[in-house]
Each structure stands twice: as C-alpha cells, then as structure tokens.
Amino acid sequence: MTFTVYPAVDIADGKCVRLLQGRFGTETVYSDDPVKVAIGLSKAGARWLHIVDLDGAKTGVSANREMVLEVVARASCPVQAGGGLRGIDDVVEVLAAGANRAVLGTTALEDPAELRRACGRFGERIAVSLDARGDELTSHGWTVGAGVPLLDAVRIFADAGAARFIYTDVVRDGTMSGPNLHGLSRLAAETTLPVIASGGVGNLAELRAVAGLHGTGVEGVIVGRALYEGKFTVIEAVRAGDEASSGERAAAPPPEH
Amino acid sequence: MLDYGMGNLRSVAKALEAAGADVVVTSSSAELDRSVALCVPGQGIFGRCMANLAAAEQDDLIRGWIDDQRPYLGICLGMQILFDSSEEQRGGASCTGLSIFPGVVRRLRGDVRIPHMGWNEVNDEHYYFDHSYAVRPRDDSLVSGWCWHGERFAASIRSGSVTAVQFHPEKSATAGLTLLSDWTAALEEAAV
C-alpha cells in the first residue's frame, strides 16, 4: 500500500475555506465554488479527496450536503466525506451517493453503540476522527472539548470496530507550522489500525516527514492550506509522499489532463 | 447504461460523458435497444443483482446483446455476472450468473484485508478497486489485465464485443478516463 496524500476541501456556508486551528470565524475563503475546486484537485492528480461540511460538523445539520454529494458524483478519484454525519442514516446517504469512505467524529464520541453499528455494517468504509487538542478529544467541529483522553478514545473506537483513524492536531491545523510528528508517532505506536495524519503541513519537507512514518502505520496525510497557498502542487505532494514512503524516487510521469 | 437498481450510477455516467459519450441511464429495453453500446456498472451483492435482472427480464437482454456482438462495458458486478456463478450468496438469493463466459466468481483468498479497497496496479497503470470477490475465468486468454491482492485475479477481460473491468475506471483518475475514452472512441470508429 502506498502513502496517500488527501487534498482537503472544507465547505462553510457554501464556500471553500480553511479555518485557523479549527476556529469558526477565522476562515480564509479560497473559492465560492467548492465543487469546482474539488474537481480541479482530482484532475490535478489527487488519488483521494477529503471533503468536509464544516457547518454540518459544528451543528449536525448538513447545510452543505448537496455540494458534498456533487463532488462525490463528479470527482475522478475516490472521496472520503465527513462533517455532520451524525448516524447510520447520514452514512448511508453519502455512501449510497458514491462516497468511498464516511468519516465519523462527534457520533463516535457521543454514541459508541451507533459507531459499532456503522462499523459492523460498513467496515472499511468508515474512518473515525480523532480531533485532539493536546491529549484531549474535541467534538462538534472541534468547538467542544469532549473531556475524553485521546488514547482512551483510541481503545474505545478500535473496540467498536473502527477500520482506521484520522488524527488531527487541532492546534496545528491551518497554521502551516509543521505537523505534530511526536503525537503522530505516539498514536501510531498505540494502535495497530492505519492512521491518516492531518494538520500543520506547510511544505514538502514536512509532508515527507509524515510520509517517513509510513512504516509505523501512518498511511496518509491530509493537506489543505499549503495547497491553496501554492506551497506545493497536488502532483508534487503525491510524488513526495510516494518517494518518502518507499525510500526511492518515483519514476512515474505526471498525469496529463 | 442499464439501471437495474444496484447502486448509484451517476459517477459512471458522468465519467462516460467526460469521455465523450452521450449517456442515457434507463431500465427501458426499447431505449437501450436504440443505443450503440451498453454499459452495466454495479455494486452490491451478486445474488441480488441477478435477481433484479431476472425480475425485469434484463438478464435475457444482456445475453441477447452480447450474442448480437453489440458493444458491452461491464464494471465491477457488471463484469462478474457474465460468468457461471458466484460464491457470494448472502440472503439466500440466487448465485447463478449469465454464463456468457465459463468460470466462477470467488472470494479473494490470502492473508490480506477484504474488501480489497484502494489503488492497485494492472499492466503498469493504477486503478481504484472496491470488491471482495473476483472472476476466475476457465479460459485465461479472456484476461486482458491481471492484478494481485492476496492472490492473482482477473482485473479486466476482453472478448469479442465485451470489455469488462473489476476496478472502477470512473474513480481511477487519468488511467480510468483513458480507458473510457478509448472505449467510446472505438464505438465511434465502428459507427463510421
């Protein structure tokens, strides 16, 4: 399995945005057309997309679901979708529309029985968010401190049947100040499940550092602001991930579109 | 594109349109008969798929279509149903296939994660897979592309007017779009 770079498309109020440390009200708007942005990223060589309904994540009301489903239908690569999926019905809706993976966060924390049902039914198609502020998990689009220690949650979610984790260091997210490699390594050592890292990657060297943990169970990284700010391109990120995780230089030519 | 109640067909329709095709998604035999080519995508359980096809008499439609040497593109289940039978029979539904080609559909063996979900290599290109079962044709010469996940399995077949793939070209970026574009281009050439 190769290391996967997930370009992120976060949608708030119908716009493509990045937040700073997950705080609502700090958003930088990158486009009024998130669907176009997402399709562009898939055409630029992304092997997966990570798409989030931020309003849904915060309130549980799927304000941007239509846009998420439009991306799912039109992207030329697989898509993992999250934000505001608050139970099996929501998971069914996005998977039936063609999403390749559904991401649960708040639901996992508030309703472990529902998480267990979702994982039992959809297995590999479920990823569970570990949105951590330090050692504590947050919920509701990171607006609420859940009072659950990160490593306790890892055990509870794994026990419920989670197939993989998405670990976000909320303090780093949107800052391009470097990923939390220490926290990531500690988490990867704590679980046998694959971990996708998120938050803080600001340049290719930092992306390579995350990819270098591939052998410990870190199977991918989510990148947002650095892509939007032009710190690197999608194809540069994909190649850097391939090279750093395999220890050799990739020979594949860039995709032509 | 045949609509037989097996999952969302919109991604495939969009991808075929991007590859230059005029796509009609329908369950109407008359409408299908007016088409140049038939695409059968599909995700879900083999037995339920065959039951749906039989209930709408679309199993005979597909058999007749391929008998008449008309272009057929099968994706995922749309490939598997072309064979004799499948091991997949949740819910007690029928597991007999269309028997257009001899062979069976088997659950992937080996010490690997099932379902096989993710990118994998076929003929030096990468495609996106999402399946637990795979075709084992009795005649290996049908196979145009092999892939490995726990064991070697048929990722694509070609025979006469039939092209069928186990992976999802609509989610396989440039490689997938190229495959679909080549298929639609061949239809256009044949029509000229």
Side-chain angles (χ1 to χ4, degrees), chain A residues 144-214:
Chain A
V144 178
V148 178
L150 172 64
L151 298 183
D152 287 357
V154 166
R155 278 187 287 277
I156 293 166
F157 297 159
D159 183 57
R164 57 175 41 72
F165 294 120
I166 298 173
Y167 167 66
T168 305
D169 183 332
V170 175
V171 179
R172 309 277 180 125
D173 203 65
T175 64
M176 298 197 290
S177 62
N180 180 352
L181 295 172
H182 174 70
L184 189 55
S185 299
R186 202 178 48 153
L187 173 62
E190 196 69 26
T191 177
T192 56
L193 296 174
V195 176
I196 298 166
S198 178
V201 169
N203 56 50
L204 286 178
E206 289 164 359
L207 191 150
R208 286 193 191 96
V210 177
L213 298 173
H214 186 234

Side-chain angles (χ1 to χ4, degrees), chain B residues 107-116 148-151:
Chain B
R107 192 172 168 85
L108 287 165
R109 265 73 162 168
D111 184 22
V112 288
R113 281 176 99 118
I114 305 287
H116 173 216
W148 188 273
H149 186 71
E151 62 173 344

Side-chain angles (χ1 to χ4, degrees), chain B residues 53-66:
Chain B
L53 288 175
E57 295 175 3
Q58 291 163 338
D59 48 353
D60 287 336
L61 183 145
I62 296 174
R63 280 198 196 92
W65 189 278
I66 294 173

